[in-house]
């Protein structure tokens, strides 16, 4: 069935609000580059990226959007102009694999409905990104994995966390909101490997985690393996700042659940997307936020 | 050269060190975050993560830290899929120590001393594992690290892409690898780097004092004098050195590393530990003292660098000296010397820099350039 097999990815309507959404353009271009390679290798397959533009706007704005899309030469043929309604229902109808938006409420709603979603942030400086290889970087806890370990750190401290991780080394972590998106990327990657294009694969995935390798790394790697997921590059930072490494990786998008890391990333020119999930949302730089003051 | 330790932490406010009790393992918090966590959560057994300062970052590859010859053969002869399968199969078998292993152990011993004397300081050694390997092999590497009781919490598994890009992001002060091409790439980026070799014979080294030995020309100093020697011969070389006695030599790729070692040594001196300082440095040069030694010593002095022991060999073989010194690592730009050292069981590393790379094993006295 078409919908089961096709991989879809939705964009929020940023083109309407900003002229220079260069990062979205680059992102879309990278996805289109992957599609082209896929079509070359598998001309009859429908397992491709599909981009749907979701916007709150009314149909009037449609003209301007279409003009922008054509100006950048993007292949976005599917629109959903909800005229004020919540897009969540449509996301489900489209079997969305990833929803990106600047609106935190909508993103949170999507996550609650089980759809991988993140809030996009524009980087403070521009950086050169690949036009031929899609590069996606993920944080570990509360993004690929659930926030169970994060809860232990915040409530019981590091010692308990390390002990807990060692004891449960062989028990896979529960999955987090972006696990399925990594899975979808992995499926596409395998199609390239099957045609002997492993070294030249136009999709590359990165794990950038603040975990310490020796003390808590094994559980993460074993979990990924039990899910049958490969990740191309794994960086265990043991608390070092993520900004400089992301600057070297130059991903088209970096997912993290903590605003602190998002800010560090965008300061150094990385396109960062905040995943508002898990216990990390209740803490700002280590302190519990009062419920009224809780921001996205 | 980006070896100035002051540059290590600018702009970022968290680059933690490897504490044996692994307090650097905060899952996702910054150093400020984790400080607050400790305050909110009550005391833990681990030392409180300090504010960021200088760290001496040593990046090692898995092939120099551990003995992976067998696996390397599998990779070369049977390809990557078989290699990955083999690694996963032997996941619970720890690797044997490699050439950089004693060095890493000694670095940790120095860290322990530093923490005793300066419990609040972050000026420590930090070891990062930077490897070509795929994440699947990570489990075996972590198991090995835990088996040998090492404290390496930072990993960079690049799954086939070049790791040198990440070295600068880690503010690496020294990069050790088994692959000369990667080392050369690092050197061209201004990062101190050297290739290490496995040897069958290995003499025992100290577990309490870190000993680092350096060649002079083309390692601590630039290869300018080496060029004169190779192009015009020994006499011309002596003349040139005498005439330029008071002109400083230009710096070489490992100068910055000696500098950071010196900074740490001074911390021990400040606490009255000069005689039993757990870091000791050696200059082992083929220069002749009377004919060309002054310029080397004056240069070091001008750089404000002290070196504990200086051996001017005037061409004598370095192997026997190194066997007596027993350094945890010896840096030389000429493979001839590195091989000689390794044959005698000393741990030697090749710095592929300078004119000597064009003249293997031969002393050429008249060549054009």
């Amino acid at each position: 069935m078409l919908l089961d097999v096709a991989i879809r990815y939705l964009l929020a309507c940023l083109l309407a609000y900003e002229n220079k959404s260069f990062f979205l353009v680059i992102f879309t271009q990278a996805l289109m580059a992957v599609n082209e390679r896929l079509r070359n290798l598998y001309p009859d397959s429908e397992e491709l990226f599909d981009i749907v533009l979701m916007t709150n706007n009314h149909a009037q704005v449609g003209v301007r959007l279409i003009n922008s899309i054509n100006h950048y030469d993007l292949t976005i043929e599917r629109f959903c102009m909800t005229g004020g309604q919540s897009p969540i229902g449509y996301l489900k109808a489209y079997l969305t694999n990833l929803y990106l938006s600047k609106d935190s409420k909508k993103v949170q709603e999507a996550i609650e409905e089980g759809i991988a979603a993140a809030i996009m942030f524009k980087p403070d400086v521009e950086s050169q990104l690949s036009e031929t290889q899609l590069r996606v970087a993920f944080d570990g806890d509360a993004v690929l994995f659930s926030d169970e370990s994060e809860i232990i750190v915040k409530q019981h401290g590091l010692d308990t966390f390390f002990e807990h991780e060692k004891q449960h080394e062989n028990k896979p972590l529960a999955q987090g909101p972006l696990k399925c998106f990594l899975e979808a990327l992995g499926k596409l990657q395998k199609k390239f490997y099957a045609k002997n294009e492993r070294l030249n694969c136009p999709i590359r995935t990165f794990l950038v985690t603040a975990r310490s390798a020796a003390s808590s790394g094994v559980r993460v790697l074993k979990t990924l393996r039990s899910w049958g997921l490969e990740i191309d590059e794994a960086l265990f930072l043991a608390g070092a700042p993520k900004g400089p490494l992301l600057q070297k990786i130059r991903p088209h998008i970096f997912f993290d659940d903590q605003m602190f890391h998002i800010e560090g990333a965008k300061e150094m020119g990385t396109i960062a997307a905040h995943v508002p999930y898990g216990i990390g949302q209740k803490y700002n730089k280590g302190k519990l936020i009062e419920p009224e003051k809780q921001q996205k | 050269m980006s070896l100035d330790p002051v540059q290590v932490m600018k702009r970022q406010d968290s680059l933690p060190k490897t504490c044996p009790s692994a307090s650097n393992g905060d899952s996702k918090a910054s150093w400020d975050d984790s400080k607050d966590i400790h305050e909110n959560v009550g005391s833990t057994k681990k030392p409180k993560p300090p504010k960021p300062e200088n760290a001496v970052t040593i990046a090692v590859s898995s092939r120099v830290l551990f003995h992976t010859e067998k696996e390397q053969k599998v990779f070369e002869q049977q390809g990557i899929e078989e290699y990955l399968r083999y690694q996963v199969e032997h996941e619970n078998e720890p690797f044997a120590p490699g050439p950089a292993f004693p060095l890493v152990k000694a670095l940790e011993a120095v860290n322990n001393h530093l923490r005793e004397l300066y419990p609040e300081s972050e000026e420590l050694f930090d070891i990062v594992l930077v490897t070509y390997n795929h994440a699947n092999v990570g489990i075996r590497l972590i198991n090995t690290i835990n088996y040998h009781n090492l404290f390496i919490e930072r990993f960079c598994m690049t799954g086939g892409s070049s790791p040198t890009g990440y070295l600068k992001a880690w503010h690496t002060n020294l990069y050790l690898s088994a692959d000369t091409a990667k080392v050369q790439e690092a050197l061209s980026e201004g990062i101190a780097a050297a290739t290490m070799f496995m040897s069958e014979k290995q003499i025992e080294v100290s577990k309490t004092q870190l000993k680092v030995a350096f060649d002079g020309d083309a390692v601590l100093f630039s290869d300018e004098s080496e060029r004169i020697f190779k192009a015009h011969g020994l006499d011309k070389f002596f003349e040139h050195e005498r005439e330029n006695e008071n002109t400083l030599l230009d710096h070489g790729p490992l100068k910055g590393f000696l500098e950071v070692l010196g900074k740490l040594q001074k911390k021990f001196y400040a606490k009255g530990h000069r005689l039993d300082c757990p870091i000791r440095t050696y200059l082992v040069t083929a220069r002749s003292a009377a004919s060309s030694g002054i310029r080397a010593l004056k240069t070091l002095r001008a750089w404000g660098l002290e070196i504990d022991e200086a051996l001017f060999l005037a061409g004598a073989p370095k192997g026997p000296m190194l066997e007596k010194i027993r350094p945890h690592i010896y840096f030389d730009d000429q493979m001839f010397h590195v091989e000689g050292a390794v044959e005698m069981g000393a741990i030697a590393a090749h710095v592929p820099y300078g004119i000597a790379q064009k003249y293997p094993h031969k002393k050429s006295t008249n060549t054009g350039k």
Side-chain angles (χ1 to χ4, degrees), chain A residues 154-155 283 285-288, chain B residues 33-43:
Chain A
K154 294 221 168 355
Q155 292 177 352
Y283 287 80
K285 295 194 202 274
K287 290 201 173 53
L288 195 58
Chain B
D33 283 13
S34 55
K35 208 164 46 162
D36 294 336
I37 290 178
H38 286 297
E39 281 161 16
N40 293 338
V41 155
S43 67

Side-chain angles (χ1 to χ4, degrees), chain A residues 139 141 159 162 204 210 212-215 225 232-234 236-238 241 248 257-258 260-261 268 285 287, chain B residues 12 14 22 24-26 28 30 33 36 44-46 91 136 142 146 153-155 157-159 161 165-166:
Chain A
D139 176 32
D141 296 282
D159 287 333
F162 290 140
R204 197 160 179 85
S212 310
S215 312
R225 184 191 287 175
D232 293 301
E233 298 195 28
F236 289 88
L237 271 66
K248 287 286 173 266
D257 67 309
Q258 305 211 28
F260 173 71
H261 288 298
M268 300 201 69
K285 295 194 202 274
K287 290 201 173 53
Chain B
Q12 296 297 334
S14 40
N24 55 359
D26 324 18
K28 327 269 301 293
S30 73
D33 283 13
D36 294 336
T44 71
K45 293 181 281 204
K46 321 227 187 271
E91 207 158 74
N136 251 336
I142 296 175
N146 285 329
E153 302 287 11
R154 298 199 159 128
F155 271 34
M157 292 187 273
T158 68
S161 56
Y166 298 117

Side-chain angles (χ1 to χ4, degrees), chain A residues 2 16-17 46 109 118 160 162 172 177 222 267 285:
Chain A
L2 178 77
Y17 296 122
E46 288 199 329
E109 242 186 285
T160 317
F162 290 140
K222 287 194 169 180
E267 258 171 48
K285 295 194 202 274

Side-chain angles (χ1 to χ4, degrees), chain B residues 58-77:
Chain B
I58 318 269
V60 293
S61 85
S62 55
R63 280 174 65 192
V64 297
L65 185 58
F66 301 123
H67 186 96
T68 57
E69 294 299 298
K70 211 174 7 166
E71 287 74 13
Q72 190 61 19
K73 276 206 184 62
V74 172
F75 173 65
E76 279 161 13
Q77 290 168 0

Side-chain angles (χ1 to χ4, degrees), chain A residues 52-187:
Chain A
V52 179
L53 192 69
M54 309 284 291
T55 166
N56 242 0
N57 276 293
H58 293 262
Q60 309 280 36
V61 190
V63 175
R64 188 171 165 207
L65 287 177
I66 296 175
N67 283 337
S68 297
I69 288 174
N70 286 332
H71 171 76
Y72 289 109
D73 229 357
L74 303 175
T75 314
I76 302 182
E77 305 286 6
R78 299 198 157 116
F79 272 37
C80 219
M81 310 190 71
T82 66
Q85 295 271 25
S86 158
I88 303 298
Y90 299 117
L91 292 178
K92 287 182 118 172
Y94 271 116
L95 291 182
T96 309
N97 295 92
L98 178 66
Y99 173 54
L100 299 176
S101 173
K102 275 198 155 183
D103 185 332
S104 62
K105 261 184 62 200
K106 293 210 191 76
V107 168
Q108 267 165 339
E109 242 186 285
I111 290 185
E112 274 157 36
E113 295 287 325
I115 301 170
I119 307 161
M120 301 268 338
F121 285 87
K122 192 172 160 196
D124 298 342
V125 284
E126 267 191 42
S127 55
Q128 271 287 51
L129 299 178
S130 169
E131 281 168 25
T132 50
Q133 186 184 59
L134 174 69
R135 296 158 79 84
V136 185
F138 298 87
D139 176 32
D141 296 282
V143 172
L144 286 182
F145 314 115
S146 75
D147 66 343
E148 55 188 271
S149 303
E150 194 100 36
I151 293 177
I152 296 177
V153 174
K154 294 221 168 355
Q155 292 177 352
H156 302 287
L158 281 170
D159 287 333
T160 317
F161 167 67
F162 290 140
E163 250 175 64
H164 182 266
E165 291 301 287
K166 278 225 154 60
Q167 275 169 12
H168 293 92
E169 210 177 76
N170 291 311
K171 176 163 169 252
L173 290 156
Q175 69 184 48
L178 271 290
K179 176 233 180 189
C180 292
F181 182 57
L182 175 63
E183 206 165 350
L185 289 177
K187 270 185 82 175

